[in-house]
Amino acid sequence: MKGLTEIGEGYLIWLKLREGKSYYWGVIGGVALALYGVIATFRKTAYGWGIVLSLMWKKILDLYDWLGADICLFDVSVMLFAPRQ
C-alpha cells in the first residue's frame, strides 16, 4: 500500500501539472501524498520497495533507470546491513 501511494501521488500530480489534466487529479494526488505520509509513519521497514515499484511503473527502462536503481538499492543495503552496536 505504501508503494502504491508513493508512486501514485507523484503520477497524479504529474498528470495535473505536466499533462494539463483537471485539478481533480492534483487534489487526488495531494490526498494520496497525505495518505503516504500517514502510512509511512506506521511502517517499521521499507527495504527499497518504492524503487522497485517505480521501475515497474515505467514501460521502457533505459541505462540510467537501471543505474539509478542500482545506486539506490546499494544505498539501502548499506543502511540495512551495516554493523550496529
Side-chain angles (χ1 to χ4, degrees):
M1 182 70 167
K2 178 182 169 270
L4 290 176
T5 56
E6 180 181 3
I7 303 303
E9 55 87 6
Y11 182 67
L12 291 172
I13 292 174
W14 172 271
L15 287 175
K16 166 60 183 121
L17 296 177
R18 296 293 184 126
E19 301 291 325
K21 299 284 185 181
S22 171
Y23 74 93
Y24 292 116
W25 293 98
V27 170
I28 295 169
V31 169
L33 177 60
L35 185 61
Y36 166 70
V38 171
I39 292 171
T41 60
F42 292 110
R43 295 281 306 201
K44 294 183 176 149
T45 58
Y47 299 122
W49 285 109
I51 299 163
V52 174
L53 286 171
S54 65
L55 288 175
M56 291 172 50
W57 196 273
K58 287 186 72 173
K59 293 182 176 88
I60 298 173
L61 300 173
D62 61 12
L63 171 68
Y64 297 106
D65 294 323
W66 289 110
L67 182 62
D70 289 342
I71 291 169
C72 291
L73 291 174
F74 174 75
D75 290 346
V76 168
S77 67
V78 168
M79 290 184 283
L80 286 176
F81 301 117
R84 309 277 181 193
Q85 293 183 6

